[in-house]
Amino acid sequence: MNLAVKDIRANLARFLLTGLGVGLTLLAAMSMTGLYHGIVADALAIIDDSGADLWVIQAGTEGPFAEGSSIDRRTLARTLAVPGVRAARQFTLQSRRFEIRGATVRGSLIGLDYPADRGDWIPLQAGRSLAAGRGEAIADESTGLRLGDVLDLDGTLVTVVGLARHYLDSSGNPVVALGINDALDVQTRRPPDAVAIAREAGRPVLTGRGANVAAIMVDLASPADAAAVRRTIDRWGDVVVMSAEEQRTVFLYGRLGRLRGQILMFTAVLLLVSAVVIAVTIYTMTLEKRHEIALLKLIGSPNGPIVSMILQQALALGVLGYGVALLLGPLIWPWFPRRLVQPPQDFLMFAAIVLALCGLGALLGIWKALQVEAREVLS
């Protein structure tokens, strides 16, 4: 006879409700880590998917993903002349507000240096990459745009030729990619009154042709050339070089550093709550069995079966809660405003954490059970 199963059956309703509560708490903790992984995946998508080995950025900055970066377009020609550079392409990034079917959509606009960069690295779900330097765009499907739609960007008209999925910026907003010249035209566009005032004041009116870009993406002929290329470009003074891994590190530990700590603290609190719920439940069930435990000791039962019973109850509670979280998670996560990413190792990590929490939660009940004496059966 399994004492743990018999005791659970005697308190089945409370056990199931407690398991549901533990499961919901674990679900919240899993959602928090999934949210962080989703934010990281969205934020690093451009850095990772573009395949650039090095990024040439404005000196004194940490690149367009951490802060503003503006460099002369002629830097491209200088970069291509550096020994060890196989290819180079210009890149721009700007926040924009799009008007799509009467609705305002906030997102980011990136410029691709066609034909060197057609956007083949963008995760397309439908359509194709850019086939022209002007008048074409690739948009994330969450914008609500469809293939063939014409998007008006302050007078610059582009036709959507490709749709991507999960092509988002660090804020979770959709990204629209178009040719670099169209992107710079949009970037430098000013209201007519502002242009007239600037001309009357004798100030130059910047156009897309003379505008700066955010960075130059560099593809190396060989990874062994990275150090030499960096030394050459760093001597120019107006720009510096960062590797793709350095861009990732700056973003993760710079812009996302506080978010990482905050999510870690929330997750720790939720797991602590789960441990307390398990411990209090097992402790309460143990108190209610004091008479039965005393009777077992009176008839000569060793402590082993009693400890095993309490530990099995704690593990059963943890397994039930973990099962609830696994069952409800896929049903709830698609409804979150931000994308949640759950790597397989996270499920294994939470399984190990649940086992540890069950063991710790059972300790309180085991300690109380070991204090019960056989003579208490007579009280």
Side-chain angles (χ1 to χ4, degrees):
M1 179 180 65
N2 190 304
L3 297 177
V5 173
K6 184 177 180 180
D7 188 54
I8 289 174
R9 286 177 177 174
N11 301 276
L12 185 60
R14 182 175 61 182
F15 185 82
L16 293 177
L17 287 175
T18 304
L20 177 62
V22 172
L24 292 176
T25 307
L26 289 174
L27 175 61
M30 288 182 175
S31 300
M32 293 296 292
T33 58
L35 174 64
Y36 176 73
H37 286 305
I39 292 173
V40 170
D42 293 339
L44 299 182
I46 296 177
I47 299 175
D48 292 340
D49 295 344
S50 66
D53 298 311
L54 301 175
W55 291 74
V56 180
I57 59 175
Q58 179 183 346
T61 71
E62 294 184 326
F65 303 103
E67 56 183 311
S69 172
S70 178
I71 60 177
D72 194 300
R73 295 189 69 177
R74 290 172 293 184
T75 307
L76 175 64
R78 288 190 288 164
T79 303
L80 287 169
V82 175
V85 173
R86 178 176 58 85
R89 25 190 179 132
Q90 302 170 98
F91 174 82
T92 64
L93 174 66
Q94 55 182 302
S95 297
R96 287 290 302 178
R97 187 178 67 247
F98 309 108
E99 296 295 331
I100 300 174
R101 297 187 180 87
T104 299
V105 178
R106 296 188 179 277
S108 292
L109 191 70
I110 68 170
L112 304 179
D113 194 2
Y114 182 89
D117 189 350
R118 301 172 60 250
D120 295 322
W121 48 272
I122 298 174
L124 290 179
Q125 294 298 310
R128 57 172 173 80
S129 303
L130 300 184
R134 285 189 177 273
E136 295 188 349
I138 301 171
D140 185 78
E141 60 185 5
S142 64
T143 58
L145 291 167
R146 295 188 291 265
L147 291 178
D149 284 353
V150 176
L151 182 62
D152 187 352
L153 299 170
D154 295 335
T156 299
L157 301 179
V158 292
T159 302
V160 178
V161 297
L163 290 177
R165 179 173 297 170
H166 302 318
Y167 186 39
L168 310 173
D169 60 20
S170 59
S171 300
N173 297 321
V175 172
V176 175
L178 58 159
I180 189 81
N181 292 318
D182 281 342
L184 290 176
D185 285 346
V186 175
Q187 178 178 310
T188 57
R189 183 90 57 193
R190 297 292 182 271
D193 290 343
V195 173
I197 292 173
R199 286 173 175 167
E200 289 177 2
R203 295 193 300 267
V205 178
L206 190 64
T207 63
R209 185 178 298 275
N212 290 347
V213 295
I216 303 292
M217 296 189 290
V218 178
D219 300 324
L220 298 173
S222 168
D225 297 327
V229 171
R230 291 190 70 151
R231 285 195 300 269
T232 299
I233 297 178
D234 285 344
R235 284 198 295 265
W236 296 347
D238 59 329
V239 293
V240 294
V241 177
M242 293 183 70
S243 66
E245 185 58 35
E246 288 172 334
Q247 287 276 29
R248 287 172 53 90
T249 301
V250 165
F251 199 90
L252 288 178
Y253 296 95
R255 292 189 63 178
L256 297 184
R258 290 181 179 271
L259 178 63
R260 179 202 299 266
Q262 190 170 7
I263 288 180
L264 179 62
M265 289 301 299
F266 272 119
T267 303
V269 169
L270 291 170
L271 293 176
L272 179 61
V273 170
S274 298
V276 171
V277 170
I278 293 173
V280 170
T281 301
I282 298 301
Y283 181 76
T284 303
M285 294 175 69
T286 303
L287 287 179
E288 294 176 350
K289 295 191 295 288
R290 288 178 65 92
H291 186 271
E292 289 79 2
I293 293 173
L295 183 60
L296 288 173
K297 290 187 175 183
L298 182 64
I299 62 177
S301 174
N303 288 328
I306 300 173
V307 172
S308 176
M309 174 188 67
I310 296 173
L311 189 58
Q312 287 177 45
Q313 288 177 335
L315 289 175
L317 191 59
V319 170
L320 176 60
Y322 187 70
V324 169
L326 289 183
L327 180 64
L328 295 180
L331 301 176
I332 295 176
W333 291 331
W335 295 94
F336 275 64
R338 289 295 302 260
R339 178 164 69 113
L340 271 67
V341 175
Q342 298 287 355
Q345 58 267 27
D346 270 21
F347 292 106
L348 297 177
M349 177 190 70
F350 274 102
I353 290 174
V354 168
L355 291 177
L357 293 179
C358 291
L360 291 175
L363 290 178
L364 187 59
I366 291 172
W367 169 76
K368 191 64 179 178
L370 294 179
Q371 287 187 326
V372 176
E373 298 182 2
R375 65 173 182 267
E376 293 185 25
V377 74
L378 302 175
S379 59

